[in-house]
């Protein structure tokens, strides 16, 4: 595996990182289908009609993957960032996760991104192959966005994870966000029913928005929309980023979404359409052929909204799903961010202004703008 990475990894567009796409693929992906692990063979779907969860993280946040893969119940593509001296530790962790978790071995495809030259983190050392499953992450500790002066390339990672997919549909989420139970299967059913896997389906410019919420640390992830609404009523859940940036999510129109109590379990469909407005940055399901994330955005700020903004200018529709949702475990507050957050955000704000100007040239016939 290390030899494969050394010989087949390539430079990214900036020339600062090496990229190894799909270094370990889920056995279901290799077989050409998205298989279920719970005995429901009739639920297996061909890759040509599949939906992949796309995500990214560093090794220190990889502990979110086992519960996420189990909850999603479908293919996952993850790009993991490591400092150069951590590559061996990361690869060994990949193998341990595949050994310990059947759903990871079956469904998860791993990609790797690391800087050309970077220091080694002394607390991230290779994990022994005999490490018990419950101790895989015991010695891994790392502050968020702290990579010894190397800027975390979130959008590069998202693009690499997307590149490793082999399904026509994807849902891009952060590693600490959990989609509602059964969303994978229910959206596949919706997509098949609407003919979204037809010959001309790739030309469709639609994204399906999944409303985002935060729940308190000490509560279980809700299984249904009804459970989520009950938690919100009891003060255990709230809209995502309510305290930090409510305007970043409010155009989801939570009031309209919550008024509808949702259809039958295992069924999703669009509830209403929303015209994108700045600074809305929803989570959504879409096709894998949409415009890529701009890889100039690194660290914190404007990395997701820049891509949503481009989708709007390119003419995409935003349809909000009725029963689907995604949750973050723990309330987001201003005191749980890293110390350089504001500086990084301001730097990316300047880049975002430049980016919006570039979109006018990229889509000269579009009347839409990012403001």
């Amino acid at each position: 595996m290390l030899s494969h990475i050394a010989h087949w990894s390539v430079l990214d567009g900036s020339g600062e990182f090496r990229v190894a796409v799909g270094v370990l693929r889920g056995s279901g992906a290799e077989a050409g289908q998205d298989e279920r692990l719970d005995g429901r063979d009739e639920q297996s779907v061909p890759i040509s009609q599949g939906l992949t969860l796309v995500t990214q993280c560093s090794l220190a946040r990889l502990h979110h993957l086992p519960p996420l893969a189990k909850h999603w119940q479908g293919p996952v593509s993850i790009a993991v960032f490591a400092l150069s001296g951590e590559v061996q530790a990361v690869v060994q962790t990949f193998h341990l996760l595949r050994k310990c978790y059947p759903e990871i071995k079956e469904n998860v495809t791993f990609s790797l991104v690391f800087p050309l030259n970077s220091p080694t983190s002394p607390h991230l050392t290779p994990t022994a192959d005999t490490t018990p499953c419950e101790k895989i992450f015991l010695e891994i500790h790392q502050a968020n966005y702290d990579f010894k002066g190397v800027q975390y390339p979130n959008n590069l990672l998202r693009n690499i994870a997307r590149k490793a997919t082999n399904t026509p549909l994807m849902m891009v989420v952060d590693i600490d966000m959990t989609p509602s139970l059964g969303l994978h299967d229910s959206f596949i059913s919706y997509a098949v029913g609407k003919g979204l896997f037809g010959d001309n389906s790739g030309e469709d410019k639609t994204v399906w928005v999944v409303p985002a919420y935060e729940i308190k640390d000490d509560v279980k992830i809700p299984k249904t929309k009804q459970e989520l609404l009950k938690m919100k009523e009891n003060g255990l859940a709230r809209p995502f980023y309510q305290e930090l940036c409510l305007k970043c999510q409010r155009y989801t129109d939570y009031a309209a979404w919550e008024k509808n109590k949702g259809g039958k379990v295992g069924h999703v469909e669009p509830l209403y359409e929303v015209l994108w407005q700045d600074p809305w940055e929803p989570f959504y399901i879409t096709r894998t052929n949409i415009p890529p994330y701009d890889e100039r955005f690194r660290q914190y700020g404007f990395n997701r909204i820049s891509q949503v903004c481009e989708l709007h200018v390119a003419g995409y529709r935003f349809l909000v799903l009725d029963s689907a949702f995604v949750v973050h475990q723990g309330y987001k507050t201003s005191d749980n961010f890293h110390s350089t957050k504001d500086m990084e955000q301001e730097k990316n704000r300047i880049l975002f202004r430049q980016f919006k100007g570039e979109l006018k040239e990229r889509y000269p016939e579009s009347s839409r703008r990012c403001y």
Side-chain angles (χ1 to χ4, degrees):
M1 174 61 64
L2 292 172
S3 176
H4 172 83
I5 292 172
H7 287 91
W8 294 104
S9 60
V10 297
L11 286 175
D12 78 314
S14 72
E16 299 177 41
F17 300 94
R18 293 203 70 86
V19 171
V21 180
V23 293
L24 275 174
R25 291 191 173 273
S27 53
E30 292 175 348
Q33 62 183 1
D34 162 20
E35 299 185 16
R36 303 275 68 79
L37 290 173
D38 52 11
R40 296 177 293 154
D41 293 336
E42 71 279 7
Q43 293 293 326
S44 297
V45 295
I47 289 299
S48 61
Q49 295 185 357
L51 166 63
T52 299
L53 188 75
V54 172
T55 190
Q56 46 78 31
C57 69
S58 64
L59 177 58
R61 294 173 66 79
L62 198 53
H63 63 276
H64 290 289
L65 181 61
L68 181 61
K70 185 175 183 179
H71 198 89
W72 177 244
Q73 299 177 348
V76 177
S77 178
I78 182 169
V80 178
F81 179 73
L83 297 180
S84 301
E86 299 168 357
V87 170
Q88 183 180 354
V90 171
V91 169
Q92 287 187 329
T93 302
F94 290 171
H95 284 291
L96 281 171
L97 288 171
R98 286 168 58 90
K99 182 182 76 172
C100 293
Y101 300 97
E103 56 273 4
I104 289 181
K105 182 178 181 180
E106 182 72 29
N107 288 325
V108 177
T109 292
F110 292 95
S111 298
L112 186 63
V113 175
F114 54 96
L116 279 178
N117 298 296
S118 65
T120 302
S121 242
H123 51 271
L124 294 182
T125 55
T127 306
D129 290 338
T130 56
T131 300
C133 295
E134 68 275 10
K135 294 184 178 181
I136 294 176
F137 300 105
L138 198 60
E139 302 299 323
I140 300 175
H141 305 285
Q142 188 174 51
N144 202 20
Y145 290 109
D146 180 14
F147 296 98
K148 312 300 179 186
V150 178
Q151 291 190 318
Y152 184 72
N154 0 48
N155 280 355
L156 170 62
L157 290 161
R158 291 183 175 112
N159 286 339
I160 295 306
R162 181 176 86 164
K163 186 175 182 179
T165 65
N166 50 15
T167 61
L169 295 173
M170 66 178 180
M171 180 178 181
V172 182
V173 297
D174 293 336
I175 190 69
D176 56 359
M177 304 291 289
T178 304
S180 49
L181 190 65
L183 176 55
H184 171 267
D185 287 358
S186 58
F187 194 85
I188 290 291
S189 297
Y190 164 76
V192 170
K194 294 297 183 180
L196 299 183
F197 299 115
D199 292 339
N200 299 319
S201 60
E203 301 175 7
D204 179 38
K205 290 188 172 184
T206 304
V207 297
W208 293 269
V209 174
V210 180
Y213 283 79
E214 304 169 354
I215 61 175
K216 290 202 169 181
D217 277 314
D218 55 351
V219 299
K220 292 183 178 180
I221 294 174
K223 295 180 179 179
T224 64
K225 180 177 181 178
Q226 291 74 20
E227 286 186 18
L228 174 63
L229 295 180
K230 188 66 175 180
M231 290 172 64
K232 184 174 182 289
E233 182 181 331
N234 294 331
L236 301 176
R238 67 185 187 183
F240 187 65
Y241 260 41
Q242 177 174 299
E243 180 177 329
L244 292 175
C245 185
L246 181 58
K247 62 183 179 180
C248 296
Q249 298 293 325
R250 70 179 181 186
Y251 295 112
T252 300
D253 196 349
Y254 286 96
W257 190 78
E258 292 171 4
K259 185 177 180 180
N260 177 281
K261 303 305 178 183
K264 60 182 181 180
V265 177
H267 176 81
V268 295
E269 63 181 26
L271 185 59
Y272 52 85
E273 182 173 353
V274 176
L275 181 65
W276 184 87
Q277 297 182 62
D278 188 27
W280 190 34
E281 50 178 15
F283 295 94
Y284 45 79
I285 294 170
T286 188
R287 301 190 182 281
T288 51
N289 65 354
I290 64 171
Y293 289 85
D294 191 301
E295 296 173 6
R296 293 173 296 178
F297 291 92
R298 300 177 186 176
Q299 292 288 108
Y300 183 86
F302 297 92
N303 49 78
R304 284 197 307 112
I305 192 177
S306 54
Q307 198 241 14
V308 184
C309 165
E310 179 165 1
L311 295 183
H312 167 67
V313 174
Y316 281 75
R317 303 170 63 206
F318 293 79
L319 304 181
V320 181
L321 294 174
D322 61 346
S323 300
F325 57 88
V326 61
V327 296
H328 179 273
Q329 189 93 43
Y331 281 1
K332 289 275 193 178
T333 59
S334 57
D335 59 358
N336 60 14
F337 278 88
H338 55 294
S339 60
T340 57
K341 164 186 169 288
D342 291 341
M343 180 178 65
E344 295 162 3
Q345 188 171 30
E346 190 56 35
K347 178 181 179 181
N348 282 336
R349 188 189 309 278
I350 296 171
L351 176 58
F352 186 51
R353 293 194 190 106
Q354 175 186 334
F355 175 80
K356 289 191 288 186
E358 293 169 357
L359 290 181
K360 294 180 182 179
E361 299 179 4
R362 194 175 304 165
Y363 302 96
E365 299 181 0
S366 176
S367 61
R368 294 181 172 187
R369 296 291 181 262
C370 285
Y371 46 75

